[in-house]
């Protein structure tokens, strides 16, 4: 029925309740769809255009739109809360199941502990041959607790035999995913929650390496299964995956025989391949299971392809348990368990192949992150700029990684061959003159000259000490000019032009350039981001104008979170032209840094004692670095560098010489950067930096303190001892950052001294400090304030500077509450340098 409008007169009070007819509501809804917040003029126009609204005042129309917007906001909030509630309910269910599993594990361990105590007491109390019997019984008990599967007599080459292997694989996988078959230890930092990646754990004391994850995603189980089975789309180390046979089972499942090749992470070890059986089936409760294991002589089954240049690794029962969840989502359990034949690699690299944490990052968490990313893209929660679809940007990332992996591995079946050495074995040069063999999605035929040529790759690997991989890669990304050569970049960019070889060889030193980073996309947790880098060239002479042009790189950076345990840090880039087409050819180069996490089972008490001793010393203590916990702070990592260039046949030797020289230069630059990073980053953990004890340092400390007292009338600090070096020690350990810089009228001030806090703030060392200029650490506001106060410093000898932001040598922003600048006078009262003290500083 029609709804009346209650009104006492024509001019209604805006506070009166108004009831609208269905026709009026329909008219207002049409306008709301086009414009949820119409202006006053638009509301008046609406009344004129719609006669059915003529008896409603503009104020009432305004109130209707306000209420409508409020209802919309409440509806969205209610929907969001319902989604969060569903996630929390599912996560609570997951945590309860995990708690049940842990309780079973605890009961199992308590039983084993009691049994072992009983055996020890029996053995110590008995000196007769009965002790031997007890030992035998103990062994029998252990066998019962960890039974070795006895393979029945069967022909595993027929479908029935393969189904028997598949069912055994299913049972073993489920015992790992939801049972206690593996002693799982939760990874640090993996806190469960509605928006977290999930619960991630790694194995302890098991054969091979294993990782487990369980989490919640908003995709249907069948879609999740489809994504997970497409391993090359999310597992960056997967070179190829061939399904050689598909056998349907009676229960509606499938058995697949799969041959998979994976890339080696460095140039120092051979790649691995796998020959596996994969079983897909549905459980009675509706859960979907995909489980997989290697087919070996012990399991039976068909023999796989010969490993050729690969080393055959073994996949122990692994897989995915996907359960439907209320609210059209899925709960996923992932288990990865492999034996990578660690004894076939050099001893220094073995931690890469026996680290469950690295496996967790590269496979287990990568799978879960990829599914969550797809789910968010599907729901429209992620918006990317530049008009690119998420799938296209993902393809760019995959192509960059695949190109870099191809370069690092240099497989002969792709056409790569070794080029002769120049006598040194530090840099390896490989060429590919048969590009048609490896013209995959990351390459393009236009990159190769029609009259003869190919691709050349210069690569090297090196061991780094005490350098966090994330910090090193972040520095290489943000400070490209510290290691890159503009001439080499120009040569690489020229390969994309119509006349690709206008730059036959890199010029030493190149041209000065600066970089501008333009973000394209990033993953949900920002562990990986894709960007375009514009290299801005500047010419200083007329003949350089043609070469000093802007160039572009497509760049992928990953693993720069310093808190991610076992994460590989990587910076990969390829030159592109201005058009940046979706099928742009990509010739990848870059850096990969992998932590060498030793597989140790040191008791937790040792680590606790080390932590306690550190706490006793405190941040200002003088505990020698040699007493620090070497397991915790003796960080080792392996760096792999690979640079690719295209060449003409007649220029091959020139390009090879240029590439070899360039990579050696890059290695030297990285080593210098690593030396600067290592002590500054670890100083707070492994003891203070070396206290400068020269007479010059003692004199400078006296000048700094005396000048501060002369200019400000106050003491920099109270001297607690009259010993000769007491003043220097107090200055060195002062909590505020104190530093000195040169006073030169014809050059930018350069830092000459800093105390320990100052070196920590600048993230540098006393040696590298002299390469840092004052104007490089101050932001624009700080430089303006210093310029305005400089005359005051010159006249009265000091000035107080307000709170601000400066930048460390690693590019990290640092805030401080106040700063003081004063002139440091020598014994003759002549100006020696300028001192700064940054109070209460901290990294932003």
């Amino acid at each position: 029925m029609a709804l009346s409008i209650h009104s006492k007169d024509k001019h209604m009070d805006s506070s009166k309740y108004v009831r609208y007819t269905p026709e009026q509501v329909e008219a207002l809804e049409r306008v709301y769809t086009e414009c949820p917040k119409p202006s006053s003029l638009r509301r008046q126009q609406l009344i004129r255009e719609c006669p059915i609204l003529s008896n409603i005042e503009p104020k009432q129309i305004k109130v209707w739109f306000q209420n409508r917007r409020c209802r919309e906001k409440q509806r969205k909030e209610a929907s969001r809360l319902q989604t969060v509630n569903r996630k929390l309910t599912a996560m609570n269910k997951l945590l309860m199941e995990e708690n049940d599993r842990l309780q079973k594990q605890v009961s199992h361990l308590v039983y084993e502990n009691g049994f072992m105590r009983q055996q020890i007491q029996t053995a110590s109390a008995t000196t007769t041959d009965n002790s031997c019997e007890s030992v035998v019984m103990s062994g029998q008990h252990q066998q019962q607790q960890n039974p070795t599967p006895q393979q029945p007599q069967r022909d595993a080459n027929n479908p029935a035999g393969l189904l028997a292997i598949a069912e055994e694989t299913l049972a073993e996988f489920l015992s790992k995913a939801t049972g206690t078959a593996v002693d799982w230890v939760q990874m640090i930092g993996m806190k469960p929650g509605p928006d977290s990646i999930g619960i991630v754990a790694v194995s302890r004391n098991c054969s091979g390496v294993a990782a487990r994850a369980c989490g919640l995603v908003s995709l249907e189980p069948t879609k999740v299964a489809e994504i997970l089975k497409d391993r090359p789309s999310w597992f960056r180390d997967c070179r190829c995956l061939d399904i050689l046979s598909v056998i349907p089972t009676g229960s509606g499942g499938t058995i697949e025989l799969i041959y998979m090749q994976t890339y080696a992470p460095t140039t120092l070890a051979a790649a691995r391949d796998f020959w596996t059986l994969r079983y897909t089936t549905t459980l009675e409760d509706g859960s979907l299971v995909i489980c997989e294991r290697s087919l070996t002589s012990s399991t039976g089954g068909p023999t796989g392809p010969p490993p050729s240049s690969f080393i055959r690794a073994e996949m122990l029962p692994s897989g995915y348990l996907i359960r439907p969840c209320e609210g059209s989502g899925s709960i996923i359990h992932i288990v990865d368990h492999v034996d990578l034949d660690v004894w076939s690699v050099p001893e220094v690299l073995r931690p890469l192949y026996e680290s469950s944490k690295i496996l967790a990052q590269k496979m287990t968490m990568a799978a879960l992150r990829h599914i969550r990313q797809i789910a968010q893209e599907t729901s429209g929660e992620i918006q990317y700029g530049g008009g690119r679809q998420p799938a296209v940007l993902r393809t760019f990332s995959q192509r960059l990684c695949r190109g870099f992996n191809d370069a690092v591995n240099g497989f002969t079946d792709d056409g790569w061959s070794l080029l002769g050495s120049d006598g040194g074995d530090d840099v390896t040069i490989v060429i590919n003159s048969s590009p048609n063999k490896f013209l995959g999605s990351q390459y393009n035929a236009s990159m190769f000259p029609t009259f003869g040529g190919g691709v050349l790759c210069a690569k090297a690997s090196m061991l780094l000490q005490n350098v966090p991989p994330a910090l090193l890669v972040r520095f290489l990304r943000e400070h490209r000019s510290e290691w890159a050569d503009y001439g080499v970049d120009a040569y690489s960019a020229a390969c994309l032009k119509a006349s690709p070889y206008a730059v036959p060889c890199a010029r030493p030193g190149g041209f000065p350039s600066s970089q501008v980073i333009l973000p394209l996309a990033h993953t949900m947790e920002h562990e990986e981001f894709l960007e375009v880098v514009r290299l801005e060239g500047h010419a200083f002479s007329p003949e350089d104008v043609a070469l000093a042009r802007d160039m572009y790189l497509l760049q992928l950076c990953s693993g720069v979170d310093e808190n991610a345990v076992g994460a590989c840090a990587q910076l990969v880039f390829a030159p592109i032209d201005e058009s940046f087409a979706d099928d742009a050819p990509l010739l990848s180069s870059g850096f990969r840094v992998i932590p060498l996490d030793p597989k140790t089972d040191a008791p937790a008490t040792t680590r606790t004692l080390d932590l306690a001793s550190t706490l006793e010393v405190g941040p200002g203590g003088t505990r020698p670095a040699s007493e620090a916990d070497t397991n915790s702070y003796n960080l080792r990592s392996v760096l792999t560098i690979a640079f690719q260039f295209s060449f003409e046949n007649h220029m091959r030797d020139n390009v090879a010489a240029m590439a070899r020289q360039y990579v050696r230069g890059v290695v030297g630059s990285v080593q210098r950067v690593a030396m600067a990073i290592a002590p500054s980053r670890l100083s707070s953990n492994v003891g203070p930096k070396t206290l400068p004890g020269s007479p010059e340092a003692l004199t400078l400390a006296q000048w700094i303190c005396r000048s501060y007292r002369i200019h400000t009338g106050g003491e920099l600090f109270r001297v607690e001892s009259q010993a000769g070096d007491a003043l220097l020690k107090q200055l060195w350990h002062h909590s505020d950052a104190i530093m000195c810089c040169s006073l030169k009228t014809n050059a930018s001030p350069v830092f000459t001294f800093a105390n320990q806090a100052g070196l920590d703030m600048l993230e540098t060392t006393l040696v590298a400090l002299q390469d840092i200029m004052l104007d490089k650490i101050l932001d624009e506001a700080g430089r303006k304030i210093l310029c305005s106060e400089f005359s005051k410093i010159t006249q009265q000898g000091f000035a107080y500077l307000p709170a601000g932001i400066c930048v460390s040598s690693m590019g990290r922003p640092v805030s401080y509450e106040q700063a003081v600048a004063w002139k440091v006078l020598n014994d003759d009262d002549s100006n020696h340098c300028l001192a700064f003290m940054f109070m209460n500083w901290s990294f932003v």
Side-chain angles (χ1 to χ4, degrees), residues 513-529:
S513 68
S514 57
Q515 69 171 5
V516 178
I517 296 177
L518 311 169
L520 276 180
H522 59 79
T523 49
M524 288 170 53
E525 299 174 5
H526 294 261
E527 74 279 354
E528 180 178 281
F529 39 91

Side-chain angles (χ1 to χ4, degrees), residues 328-547:
S328 69
S330 303
I331 294 176
I332 311 172
H333 294 257
I334 302 176
V335 172
D336 291 305
H337 193 175
V338 295
D339 185 342
L340 298 172
D341 192 6
V342 66
W343 301 109
S344 64
V345 299
E347 185 174 358
V348 70
L349 288 182
R350 286 177 189 169
L352 293 184
Y353 294 82
E354 57 186 10
S355 170
S356 296
K357 296 172 185 174
I358 292 178
L359 177 72
Q361 290 283 354
K362 292 172 69 172
M363 279 195 76
T364 318
M365 294 171 66
L368 201 51
R369 282 181 174 132
H370 183 72
I371 296 170
R372 284 165 53 84
Q373 187 79 20
I374 298 289
Q376 289 221 335
E377 291 171 3
T378 304
S379 65
E381 294 179 44
I382 300 179
Q383 300 294 330
Y384 294 125
R388 305 271 181 176
Q389 292 296 321
V392 173
L393 296 173
R394 244 191 344 267
T395 302
F396 276 127
S397 301
Q398 292 165 358
R399 290 172 58 198
L400 281 171
C401 277
R402 187 173 184 83
F404 185 68
N405 279 324
D406 281 333
V408 169
N409 286 260
F411 294 114
T412 54
D413 59 352
D414 277 340
W416 291 101
S417 60
L418 189 65
L419 194 66
S421 170
D422 65 347
D425 58 357
D426 54 336
V427 177
T428 302
I429 302 288
V430 291
I431 60 170
N432 195 324
S433 299
S434 306
N436 291 331
K437 289 188 178 181
F438 74 122
L439 279 177
S441 60
Q442 70 272 21
Y443 300 104
N444 187 293
S446 65
M447 300 168 66
F448 307 101
T450 56
F451 46 85
V455 171
L456 179 147
C457 175
K459 53 189 177 180
S461 291
M462 56 188 290
L463 192 66
L464 299 176
Q465 194 83 5
N466 289 345
V467 182
L471 191 60
L472 176 59
V473 166
R474 196 164 68 226
F475 180 90
L476 295 173
R477 170 181 174 263
E478 296 172 359
H479 301 273
R480 184 180 178 84
S481 61
E482 293 293 327
W483 57 266
D485 187 294
Y486 186 87
V488 176
D489 288 333
Y491 176 82
S492 299
C495 298
L496 303 173
K497 303 297 179 182
S499 176
Y501 302 99
V503 186
C505 221
R507 291 172 46 172
F511 309 95
S513 68
S514 57
Q515 69 171 5
V516 178
I517 296 177
L518 311 169
L520 276 180
H522 59 79
T523 49
M524 288 170 53
E525 299 174 5
H526 294 261
E527 74 279 354
E528 180 178 281
F529 39 91
L530 185 70
E531 55 203 12
V532 171
V533 180
R534 186 172 77 239
L535 303 177
E536 300 176 327
H538 306 284
F540 286 141
S541 61
E543 60 269 21
D544 292 342
V545 172
L547 300 179

